[in-house]
Amino acid sequence: MKLLGAVFVLSELTAVITGPPGNPTHPWIGFHGSIVDQASFLGLFNIQRWIAFFIYGLIVSGAVYVFRTQKQFIAQVRTAQRSVTSNKSVKITTSIATITLVVLLPTLVADPFWQNAMVSQIAVYVLLALGLNVVVGFAGLLDLGFVAFYAVGAYATAWCTGALPLPALFGVHLNPFYAIPVAIILAMISGIILGIPTLRLRGDYLAIVTLGFGEIITLFANNLNGITGGAMGTAQVPHFSVHVGPVNYVWGIPPVPYYYLTIAFVGIFIVAFSLLEHSRVGRAWTAIREDEVAAESVGINPLKYKVMAFAIGAASAGFAGVMTAAQTNYVTPATFTLALSINILVLVIFGGMGSIIGVVFGAVVIQTITMYLIHNPPAGYQPQDLYIYIGALLVIMMIFRPAGMIPARRRSRTNASLDSSQG
Amino acid sequence: MVYGVLRLINFAHSEIFMVGGFAGFFVLKYTIGSSTPTGISSVLLIILGILAGGTAGALIAVLLERVAYRPLRKRGAPKIAYLISAIGASYFLLNLAAKEFGRIGQSMVQPYTDHPVFTIFGAPVQMYTLIIFIVAAIMLVGLDRLVSATKLGRGIRAVAQDSETASLMGVNIDKTIALTFILGGFLGGVAGFLYAMNVGVLYSMGFTPALKAFTAAVLGGIGNLRGAVLGGVILGVVESFSVAFVDPAYIDVVAFAILILVLMFRPTGILGEQIGRAA
């Protein structure tokens, strides 16, 4: 009976979420439209929405129940999965197939919207998620202001290329390639500056402080008109270009060259971060995450390694900032919001904290869905509604699958405690 | 308050605040209509708004506890999981409210005519200020008494100090935590209504006040009621005075700078942490 009630509440909630929006003068329109309006039930017949959603809810929960009772079946699938994934040749084949797919993707996807989305919304977000993964996944620090480092990277690019009201950093208007080291170094410095005072704090204080930091960077970007161009930002960031000897190439409006450039860097970051994960530093992070006191007692300096995690994560975000600034040509404070920070967090959580493959997977899947919703919005969908689903997804993941879709191997101990209730 | 018991920041407090504001707003809107009431009916309407805000806040708080916290507690999940779950819930509510109530701010229907009541040192004291002061004083005294003198208060303090031992002593932890959430939610909802009386309602109205409330609580000492009051007063005064020195756009930076400074140099706050003592 209690279960039935829960199913009812959840399905009606879904009905409200997916229903039409309300407005402040008539607050009940949204609810009324979501609950009482007629909706076609699988195209068969029309029925009031609340009944339709209740039936969907019953079907889904029934399916989950049946699936859960088949424990033997699940166990079989799991062992089969394990034997397949631990097989070396399968691993190599999969990675080769993935790489081929990634390389060929622009030829398969011809739609300009999607080609653009692959760079600016998927590849760049993979970079951001990889960076946040170092902070949240490896070191176990919750950073809600990650977007600040992204902003630092983007503004550093604008600075180097002379797009800001400030005089250009080195006096000449450089092309964005030279901005990469500057952006990365500036982002790392800001990570260290933020990290040293705040990383001594407990996890929840850290979350609030980073949240505030993210907001403040946006505030500064908005108001320092003489330095950042204010709320309008700048729209004069040049494209990447190479002029070495006989090679003369300028990345332009078409997204495909940018795609390969970004993908190449994503590959570099993936390799670098996986090496890092299995290095001394990565092990130190794991130790701190699992038990800080114990880590300290075996001679690991927690603050040092935490700051390092912050700086390295920031570097990746700063780099993502360079890519975005150069590809879109403009930098405005409106890009760097709390919503974006949470968006990146969702990619990490969904894919699996601390798991590089998981994070890449999560970023690709979620961003693709997001882009799909923007490109072909279903009836009654507003772009801002996305955040409702993101919030719900965070809670759901934490309750049912806290280790993410592709859990990290190294987190086994945390995963065990995260998953201990699952049968 | 909730922090004291769970040792966790309730990230969704800003949404409780917002929901309280909206509840008060809608109740007043439908009871008042277009005229501005006076006299005794004003007082009743304000009380009605406060109750509506508080009830809605408490309701949301309980739901939050049920959905986003209890499953994790049952499993003994690590702290970061609570934080993420709370942020998710907060974000969910925020955007659901944005969808259902629109994304444009609304000014509150006034249940009374605002006018200066009396002056202190040449500064006029508005009716609104007076109401907030009275309500805050009542809530403060009530909460202080509740926590230090009743059985529930003792339960709350026991759970805050050591929840395992408390459960061995016959305190129902789930119930106590739920009640703490109700209490915290009620206060948050009332605060939301009072805030909304002045500046109106908006789906994102809770964010800055919640960040500042946290700053005030840290400043005074987490889990310390008197400290929270002191921290709130200091923060308010510093902010008001800093208007004279900094660009108004950076007011929020001031609060944040205070937060970082306090956390760096005196993380226990001015009056010290008192988790589980006078709560």
Side-chain angles (χ1 to χ4, degrees), chain A residues 6 52 67 82 153 190 270 285 296 337 371:
Chain A
F67 185 71
R82 232 165 258 156
S190 58
I270 290 178
W285 283 333
E296 210 168 349
T337 55
M371 283 301 107

Side-chain angles (χ1 to χ4, degrees), chain A residues 16-17 19 22 24 27 30 197 202 205 209 213 216 223-224 339 349 384-385 387-388 391 395 398-399 418 421, chain B residues 3 7 9 26 29 67 72 75 83-85 88-89 91-92 95 99-101 103 106 222 249-250 256 263-264:
Chain A
V16 171
I17 295 169
R202 286 183 295 218
Y205 284 8
V209 172
F213 181 69
I216 282 182
N223 291 305
L224 292 173
I349 303 296
Q384 297 98 323
D385 289 359
Y387 304 129
I388 306 180
V395 180
M398 278 302 115
I399 295 175
L418 284 168
S421 76
Chain B
Y3 182 87
R7 314 223 55 170
I9 296 166
F26 287 130
K29 194 172 158 179
V67 175
L72 300 183
R75 200 175 55 217
L83 286 175
I84 294 168
S85 167
Y91 209 52
F92 174 78
N95 288 291
K99 183 186 169 92
E100 297 304 330
F101 303 137
R103 293 184 169 82
Q106 293 279 300
I222 282 280
Y250 299 121
F256 181 68
L263 287 176
M264 272 173 76

Side-chain angles (χ1 to χ4, degrees), chain A residues 116-130 258-266 319-320 323 363-364 367:
Chain A
N116 202 12
M118 280 192 312
V119 185
S120 64
Q121 297 294 326
I122 299 178
V124 167
Y125 277 66
V126 168
L127 277 176
L128 288 169
L130 280 171
Y258 268 106
Y259 175 76
Y260 287 116
L261 187 65
T262 323
I263 289 298
F265 281 111
V266 167
F319 179 75
M323 293 311 294
V364 171
Q367 284 306 117

